[in-house]
Amino acid sequence: MKEKHIIDLENLSRSQLEKVISLSEEIMKNPEEYQHACDGKILATLFYEPSTRTQMSFQTAMIRLGGQTIGFDNPMNSSVSKGENLKDTITIVSGYADIIAMRHPAEGSAKAASMFSTVPVINGGDGGHFHPTQTLTDVITLSNEKGRLTDLTIGLCGDLLNGRTVHSLIKTMSHFENNKFVLISTKALTIPQYIKDSLKKAGCEYKEVRSLKEAIPELDVLYMTRIQQERFATQKEYEEQKGIFVLDTAKMALAKKDMVVLHPLPRVDEIDVKVDDDPRACYFKQAVYGMYGRMALIYLLLNDKDFAFDYYKPQLTNSRCRNRNCITTTENYLKSHCHYGNDGHLICNYCDHIIE
Ligand code: CP
């Protein structure tokens, strides 16, 4: 079954991903050649959660391609505030727009939206699950700033449990040869099991460590993340985790001369502002690369009929997903869909958590 929705970057084959990266680099060099590429087309940005970079770079990308945008950045200003469900909102908007970029707090929401949309849906972040266009941003940044996507020791630091950008990046970079992963977090915020399983399946070396200072000297890439207050059940749990990992100039002095520092942003206090002046700090450039990546993605989804992806054929199950953040817990009309994981577990087709 071929579809045009981007739920995770893993939906793209390696050659499709390389096509997006090379097109983004071509657009960067020759933007004027693409300024009418999407004339007459409309992008809807449906942001049920706050965003600066993802929302605005999608909008800018479409405008720079000659298209126009509609949408909301606060669902309370739409009929969601009157109780309209995701199915109805997506059904309506896909009748207005040619392509939809969506962010939503529930895991699996982008998958659910794609089931009711007649136009491509791009996941702009679904809870703590995936954030594929951030990963696209990250790989374009690495391609340009490191000159390669292979043979890298990649440190990921902070909230590895809820960090959707981390999950998507690990899965994507695990497909490129000889990449190793150093997972730096507290015990409470360690990476979910299904991401470790995907690393094992890809045959990647990885280790879990608790000290950024000890890990930093071996890294080619350091991917810092924010401790996300909005993902904790209580303020106390958040307070226990915040401020544990801080990248400062003293730690940068221990790092390789050509290490690059990435961060999906927004930053709170996990990177000292003094690090911004270090040439290895690439996180502001990263946000600009992301706009070109989104231009390439929109261009290919709207103009290249062969740019489509294989998905699991979902099976119905009587068991409901027990992940309290899964979209099926709030959108009750959704049928329970699953697929079998490699280890024989039944996996929720929306949020990828093990059902049984
Ligand atoms: N990186 C990222 O997703 O930023 P926003 O939350 O501002 O979109």
Side-chain angles (χ1 to χ4, degrees):
M1 186 166 59
K2 293 266 187 202
E3 293 181 0
K4 278 186 161 274
H5 310 295
I6 308 275
I7 308 303
D8 186 17
L9 212 57
E10 230 191 20
N11 300 136
L12 278 64
S13 66
R14 181 156 167 177
S15 66
Q16 285 173 322
L17 177 59
E18 285 168 348
K19 193 172 187 176
V20 183
I21 296 169
S22 64
L23 178 60
S24 68
E25 290 168 356
E26 157 68 15
I27 297 173
M28 257 180 255
K29 282 189 210 122
N30 300 301
E32 66 290 343
E33 285 186 20
Y34 293 86
Q35 62 191 353
H36 297 295
C38 291
D39 277 359
K41 301 288 186 193
I42 294 174
L43 164 77
T45 51
L46 307 184
F47 276 64
Y48 292 76
E49 261 195 346
S51 164
T52 297
R53 278 145 293 272
T54 311
Q55 182 189 205
M56 290 189 196
S57 66
F58 263 118
Q59 292 170 341
T60 312
M62 189 49 146
I63 292 166
R64 286 181 186 271
L65 290 168
Q68 295 179 68
T69 67
I70 59 169
F72 56 73
D73 59 9
N74 179 352
M76 289 303 108
N77 292 335
S78 78
S79 287
V80 174
S81 65
K82 302 171 204 161
E84 185 159 73
N85 66 24
L86 184 65
K87 174 180 185 287
D88 291 359
T89 302
I90 294 296
T91 302
I92 295 302
V93 174
S94 73
Y96 298 156
D98 301 286
I99 189 164
I100 295 171
M102 185 183 107
R103 172 173 289 184
H104 193 286
E107 297 175 15
S109 48
K111 180 75 196 172
S114 75
M115 291 161 56
F116 304 110
S117 178
T118 54
V119 300
V121 171
I122 308 176
N123 183 5
D126 59 332
H129 189 215
F130 294 139
H131 191 348
T133 60
Q134 180 61 47
T135 303
L136 182 61
T137 299
D138 302 339
V139 294
I140 293 169
T141 307
L142 288 175
S143 174
N144 281 270
E145 297 297 323
K146 291 299 292 178
R148 66 183 196 276
L149 295 175
T150 61
D151 305 285
L152 296 168
T153 299
I154 303 168
L156 301 110
C157 179
D159 184 354
L160 307 191
L161 176 65
N162 303 299
R164 57 195 175 195
T165 62
V166 167
H167 304 166
S168 289
L169 182 60
I170 290 175
K171 286 176 75 183
T172 298
M173 293 305 286
S174 69
H175 296 308
F176 289 86
E177 295 77 27
N178 298 324
N179 287 331
K180 293 180 199 159
F181 298 87
V182 182
L183 308 171
I184 310 155
S185 74
T186 61
K187 192 160 182 281
L189 297 180
T190 52
I191 205 92
Q193 187 59 43
Y194 73 94
I195 299 293
K196 286 194 238 179
D197 290 344
S198 73
L199 280 170
K200 282 185 202 144
K201 188 177 158 209
C204 287
E205 211 178 290
Y206 74 90
K207 62 183 173 185
E208 295 183 86
V209 302
R210 304 277 175 251
S211 166
L212 174 58
K213 189 177 167 190
E214 284 172 26
I216 203 166
E218 69 172 306
L219 305 179
D220 300 306
V221 179
L222 173 58
Y223 196 89
M224 292 296 293
T225 62
R226 177 174 64 95
I227 304 300
Q228 302 173 84
Q229 186 166 6
E230 64 274 28
R231 305 277 176 237
F232 288 88
T234 64
Q235 180 68 16
K236 181 173 174 290
E237 285 174 52
Y238 168 65
E239 297 286 342
E240 282 165 5
Q241 296 298 326
K242 71 169 191 172
I244 293 177
F245 297 108
V246 177
L247 181 64
D248 53 20
T249 51
K251 291 194 189 76
M252 286 298 284
L254 303 172
K256 289 181 184 173
K257 296 278 176 286
D258 63 348
M259 185 186 79
V260 298
V261 183
L262 304 187
H263 190 310
L265 304 177
R267 146 181 73 183
V268 182
D269 55 7
E270 61 280 359
I271 301 181
D272 189 313
V273 291
K274 291 197 190 92
V275 176
D276 298 354
D277 298 328
D278 190 308
R280 294 170 290 182
C282 291
Y283 30 89
F284 294 125
K285 278 196 238 178
Q286 191 181 347
V288 180
Y289 285 123
M291 180 190 70
Y292 289 106
R294 290 178 176 104
M295 287 176 80
L297 200 56
I298 292 170
Y299 176 91
L300 288 168
L301 287 168
L302 292 180
N303 294 309
D304 182 344
K305 69 177 172 34
D306 296 326
F307 193 70
F309 326 105
D310 288 316
Y311 285 90
Y312 295 111
K313 191 167 169 41
Q315 302 177 31
L316 280 174
T317 174
N318 290 327
S319 308
R320 295 296 285 182
C321 181
R322 289 191 296 272
N323 171 13
R324 66 183 167 88
N325 298 321
C326 181
I327 188 70
T328 56
T329 64
T330 48
E331 305 280 326
N332 295 322
Y333 54 86
L334 289 172
K335 295 193 175 94
S336 284
H337 279 145
C338 65
H339 59 268
Y340 282 98
N342 293 315
D343 53 3
H345 281 122
L346 211 53
I347 310 289
C348 175
N349 216 47
Y350 300 94
C351 73
D352 290 298
H353 278 243
I354 293 171
I355 295 181
E356 57 188 38

